[in-house]
Amino acid sequence: MLGRLAALGLGLGLVALVEVGLRLVPALDPPPFTLELARADGRALHAINPAYARRFFAGVAGDVALRGIRMTPRPYIEPAPEGALRVLFAGGSTVQGYPHPKRLAASSFLQEMLGDLWPERRIEVFNAGITAASSFAVARAVADGVEALSADLVVVYTGHNELYGVYGAASLAQGGQGVWSKRAHYALMQWRLTGLVGRLLGALRAERAPPPADLIAVMARAGYVAAADERRGRAAENLADNLRAIAEFCRERGVPLVLCTLASNERGFAPARGAAPIADAERWAALLAAGERNREPHKALAALAQARALADEDAYVHFLRGVHLERLGQGREAQAAYVRARELDLRPWRATDTLNEIVRRVAVQEGAFLADVSARLRAESPSAGIGWELMADHLHPAAPGQVLLAWSVVAALKSAPVPWELPADWQSRLAGPDDYRQRLGDLPVERLAVLRAMAALFAAPPMDQGNEGRVRALEQAAAAAWAGLSGGERTGVERWSKGEGPDLLPLNVADALFATGDYALARDYYRAANLEEPYTVWGDLWGTLRRLRAAKLVGDTVDVGELDALQERMHLLAQAPDFTEGLGDFFSGYALHLRGDGSGALAALESAVRDPGIRRTFFADLLELLAAELVAADRWADAEHYVAQVAAEQRRVPFGHQLIERLRVGRSPR
C-alpha cells in the first residue's frame, strides 16, 4: 500500500511539474476575456476576445464538431473617457443577438437608450453573450468580464440553456454534475496540460472526424427530458446557485446587477411529440389527428379532451388545445394551455416558469434589480401569449423583441443609485421602438436572411415536427421580402449567398448599390456596416469612406469631424499585420479627397497606385479619385495615362475608355 501511495504521489508530482513548466508557454494559456490589438499615442485598442468561449468547450460536444459557436469581438478604447459608464451584458445566444446581426441585439439597443438618458456621458454596453452558455458559463464570463472591463453595471439574461447548454444538467459533456463538480471540471479544463493533450488528440482524429454539425442538432442528441426527470431539478438548483454567485461577486465589488426573466415563444412553437400510450396507440393516433386536422375548434377540443384522458402529460396535446382555444377567442385559456405545453415539452429548450421564479426570487433575496422581460413581452402580445410577432424562433426574440428586452432593463433601474438613477422623465426621453431599429439599421436584406435561416431551421430535425406550417409561412414571407428588394439589393444578396464579395452582408449590398448609382440607399447600408464592424478595415474604414462619398454624390456636405475620427481609427488599425503601406496611402488619399485637400490627396493616391494589390482591389475608386485630382491639378495627360495603363492591366479596358471619355467631356476649354 505504501508503495502504491508513493507511486501515486510521484505520478501526481510529475504531472504538477509538467503543468508548472507548461505555464511558462504563453501560447498554452486559456483564452483571455479581452485582447489588446494596438497601441498609439497613449491610447490602446482592445476587443472582447471571441475565442474566450473556448474556455467552456473547444468546439465539440461528444465526438461531433460544432458549427455556430459565437461571441461578439466588441472593440473599445482604453483608457475610457472620463465619466464613461460601462455595462457588461452577459448570457447566451439571445444576448448574442441570434439570429440577427449583433448591432440589433438588446445590448446595442440598451446602449442607445442609455445614451438618450445620459447624452453627456459615454455609454459602452459590452455584449458578452456566448452561444449555448448555461448559467455556470455565464457566471464565469461575468467574473472575468467585470475584472477586464471595470464594468459599472452588470445585466444577466440566462436560463434557457440550463439543460442542453454547455455545463447544463443534460449536456453531452458535463451532464449529471453538481455545481462543485462543474467547478472542478472547469478548473481542470483550464490546465495547460489538459489543453495540450486536447490539441494533440484533436489533430490525430481530425482526418476521420465527421463534418461540423449545427449546434441545435448536436445538443438534441442528449435526448428527451421529461417533466419528472431529476435533471430538471438539478437545472433549477444550478441556476439558483450560479445567480447567487453572480450576485455575491457583484455585491463584493460594488457593481449593481440586473437579473432578467426569460421570454419564449409560447403560442407559436410546437413542443416535441411524446410516444403514444402503448395500450391505446391506435385510438391515441386517431384523437391526435382529429385535434390537428379538424378546422372546427369545438370538435377538435372534444377529441383532445379524450386524448388528455389517455395522456395528460403530453405537451403536444396541450399545444393543440391552445391553438383551438385561441381560434375561439379564449385568449387566457389558450395561454394557459400553451404554457402547460411549454412546461411539459420533452425537449426543454425554453426556460420554464420554475426557472423564471428562481430569477425573481434570487433578485429579491440578493438585492439585484429585476427586469421582468417575460412580463413585458406578454404585455405587448395578444392575450393568448407571446408568439411570432416578437420571436424569431422558439426562444430568440426578433428585433422588436430585442428592443423590448432592452427597455425592460432600463425600466429595472428605476430604484437604482447614482449614477444609474433614472431621470424623472426617463420614458419621454426614450425614442420609439421603430426609431431605435431605424437608428441601428434594421435592413430588409438582413430580415430576408433571418427568414431564410429560420425556414431552414424549422425544416430540419429536431425542429420540424409540428412546425410545418411555420416553414411555409417563413418561405412565403421570404419570397415577399425578396420581391420588395431593389435590383442592387438583390445583386448584393446573390453575391453574398455565393460567397463572393465582402463577408459582411450590408457591406456587400452597399457596394452593389454604389455600383448601380443608388447612392442614397448605399449610404444607409454603409452606415449599417460601420455599426456592425467598427475598427475594421472593411466595415469601418472602407465603409465610412464610401458612405461619405455617397453622401457627397447626393449633394450632402461631408462631415469633416467624421474624417478626423476616421484618421484616428486608421492610426490604430495601421498596426494590423495585414495593413500595408499602400492601403494606408489609399485610405489617406480618399479621406483627403473628401476633405478637399487636393495636393495631399494627389500625393497619397499617386503613392497608392504603385501598389499592385491596391490597383486590383480598389480599381474603380482609385482611378476615379486619382484622375479627378490630376485633372484638378491640370495634369490631363497623366490622368489619361494612369487610366489607360491600369485599366489595361486589370483587363477592364471598357471602364477605362468610359472614364477617359468622361474626363474629356468635362475638360474646360483653356
Side-chain angles (χ1 to χ4, degrees):
M1 179 62 70
L2 290 174
R4 291 176 180 175
L5 290 174
L8 177 61
L10 179 61
L12 292 175
L14 288 174
V15 169
L17 185 62
V18 171
E19 174 66 17
V20 170
L22 292 176
R23 293 196 176 214
L24 300 176
V25 183
L28 295 176
D29 290 346
F33 191 85
T34 61
L35 298 171
E36 180 177 305
L37 305 179
R39 181 176 290 272
D41 302 327
R43 301 166 70 244
L45 175 64
H46 291 246
I48 289 182
N49 182 10
Y52 175 79
R54 292 208 308 265
R55 282 176 170 260
F56 306 103
F57 47 120
V60 298
D63 58 346
V64 180
L66 295 178
R67 184 170 54 214
I69 301 303
R70 306 192 306 166
M71 193 173 182
T72 300
R74 206 279 199 186
Y76 62 101
I77 296 293
E78 291 283 20
E82 185 176 354
L85 295 174
R86 286 182 169 175
V87 181
L88 179 69
F89 203 139
S93 52
T94 294
V95 173
Q96 175 66 229
Y98 175 86
H100 301 280
K102 56 180 176 279
R103 72 179 186 282
L104 298 181
S107 57
S108 299
F109 291 119
L110 178 61
Q111 180 168 297
E112 291 294 311
M113 292 176 184
L114 295 178
D116 285 345
L117 295 179
W118 294 288
E120 72 282 0
R121 309 191 76 158
R122 172 71 176 269
I123 306 292
E124 295 178 312
V125 180
F126 293 86
N127 186 327
I130 302 174
T131 307
S134 70
S135 60
F136 177 85
V138 172
R140 259 82 258 150
V142 167
D144 292 338
V146 168
E147 296 292 348
L149 299 167
S150 299
D152 302 293
L153 176 70
V154 171
V155 180
V156 171
Y157 185 96
T158 186
H160 283 309
N161 297 321
E162 294 311 291
L163 282 156
Y164 292 129
V166 62
Y167 286 95
S171 66
L172 296 176
Q174 307 90 15
Q177 299 180 22
V179 171
W180 287 105
S181 58
K182 290 177 190 292
R183 290 176 181 173
H185 181 278
Y186 175 73
L188 182 61
M189 291 300 101
Q190 308 315 304
W191 279 29
R192 281 53 168 183
L193 182 58
T194 308
L196 179 60
V197 171
R199 292 185 192 185
L200 293 175
L201 291 176
L204 290 174
R205 65 189 180 196
E207 293 185 1
R208 62 178 184 273
D214 287 325
L215 177 65
I216 200 164
V218 174
M219 293 305 183
R221 295 171 65 206
Y224 287 160
V225 182
D229 194 306
E230 63 177 9
R231 290 175 292 181
R232 293 209 186 203
R234 286 204 303 272
E237 293 173 3
N238 289 338
L239 178 61
D241 288 342
N242 290 316
L243 291 181
R244 290 192 189 99
I246 292 171
E248 181 180 358
F249 175 87
C250 291
R251 187 166 54 249
E252 289 175 351
R253 284 154 182 79
V255 179
L257 169 66
V258 177
L259 296 179
C260 304
T261 59
L262 301 111
S264 60
N265 191 338
E266 297 168 338
R267 55 180 242 279
F269 178 73
R273 300 185 187 183
I278 297 175
D280 299 285
E282 291 186 8
R283 183 166 177 247
W284 168 264
L287 291 171
L288 202 63
E292 284 181 315
R293 299 170 187 166
N294 203 315
R295 292 295 176 182
E296 297 183 42
H298 290 292
K299 292 182 179 179
L301 287 169
L304 293 172
Q306 296 180 59
R308 287 182 65 189
L310 296 176
D312 192 41
E313 297 301 302
D314 186 89
Y316 191 59
V317 169
H318 289 281
F319 176 77
L320 292 176
R321 289 186 63 248
V323 170
H324 294 296
L325 288 168
E326 186 178 1
R327 288 174 177 169
L328 289 172
Q330 300 178 29
R332 292 188 180 278
E333 294 82 356
Q335 184 187 74
Y338 285 134
V339 170
R340 178 72 172 155
R342 184 194 63 197
E343 302 296 291
L344 295 172
D345 193 347
L346 293 173
R347 291 198 187 278
W349 307 106
R350 300 169 290 177
T352 61
D353 279 347
T354 298
L355 298 183
N356 266 334
E357 285 307 312
I358 287 173
V359 174
R360 294 187 177 95
R361 184 170 66 249
V362 171
V364 171
Q365 293 173 345
E366 301 294 335
F369 301 107
L370 178 68
D372 203 341
V373 178
S374 61
R376 178 62 184 173
L377 266 66
R378 276 183 177 171
E380 297 293 330
S381 300
S383 59
I386 303 169
W388 298 116
E389 299 88 356
L390 298 177
M391 306 302 291
D393 57 16
H394 53 306
L395 59 85
H396 298 103
Q402 291 279 3
V403 176
L404 292 174
L405 199 168
W407 190 95
S408 301
V409 173
V410 173
L413 298 174
K414 284 183 288 189
S415 59
V418 176
W420 298 106
E421 183 180 10
L422 293 181
D425 60 343
W426 67 274
Q427 294 193 60
S428 63
R429 294 192 187 189
L430 296 179
D434 292 341
D435 293 325
Y436 285 116
R437 289 168 58 195
Q438 183 177 9
R439 189 186 298 183
L440 293 177
D442 189 358
L443 303 175
V445 299
E446 289 172 318
R447 293 197 291 273
L448 169 65
V450 168
L451 290 169
R452 288 177 171 177
M454 294 299 96
L457 173 70
F458 287 115
M463 296 294 188
D464 53 341
Q465 273 199 331
N467 292 302
E468 297 83 358
R470 185 57 188 168
V471 174
R472 291 190 293 272
L474 287 165
E475 291 173 342
Q476 292 170 359
W482 175 259
L485 298 181
S486 69
E489 287 173 312
R490 291 185 185 183
T491 298
V493 170
E494 289 174 337
R495 194 169 58 182
W496 177 78
S497 300
K498 297 174 183 177
E500 301 171 356
D503 293 335
L504 183 60
L505 177 57
L507 184 60
N508 205 320
V509 175
D511 285 347
L513 290 166
F514 194 95
T516 64
D518 192 346
Y519 302 122
L521 190 54
R523 178 183 52 189
D524 296 337
Y525 275 85
Y526 281 125
R527 183 176 180 278
N530 299 159
L531 295 171
E532 187 69 18
E533 291 191 352
Y535 286 96
T536 61
V537 169
W538 291 103
D540 188 345
L541 301 185
W542 171 249
T544 299
L545 291 169
R546 265 290 184 90
R547 173 172 58 82
L548 294 176
R549 188 176 175 209
K552 186 175 182 179
L553 289 169
V554 297
D556 291 345
T557 302
V558 173
D559 187 341
V560 176
E562 282 203 68
L563 292 172
D564 292 337
L566 180 138
Q567 291 284 8
E568 291 183 9
R569 298 196 300 276
M570 188 165 66
H571 193 40
L572 289 166
L573 290 175
Q575 299 178 38
D578 56 349
F579 196 99
T580 65
E581 183 179 350
L583 192 61
D585 287 335
F586 174 66
F587 284 157
S588 293
Y590 210 133
L592 291 168
H593 170 82
L594 293 172
R595 188 187 291 273
D597 183 349
S599 59
L602 183 54
L605 292 170
E606 281 200 279
S607 179
V609 80
R610 292 195 287 269
D611 187 323
I614 300 301
R615 295 198 299 269
R616 180 177 59 254
T617 305
F618 301 102
F619 167 77
D621 286 71
L622 175 63
L623 283 190
E624 289 173 347
L625 298 183
L626 178 58
E629 294 296 350
L630 286 168
V631 168
D634 205 18
R635 292 172 55 186
W636 299 93
D638 289 338
E640 293 188 4
H641 170 74
Y642 274 122
V643 171
Q645 183 183 49
V646 177
E649 175 196 69
Q650 299 300 318
R651 299 180 180 179
R652 296 183 63 178
V653 172
F655 176 90
H657 286 162
Q658 293 172 6
L659 181 54
I660 290 173
E661 187 60 30
R662 294 207 318 263
L663 292 174
R664 289 172 177 169
V665 170
R667 182 173 181 174
S668 301
R670 295 186 62 84

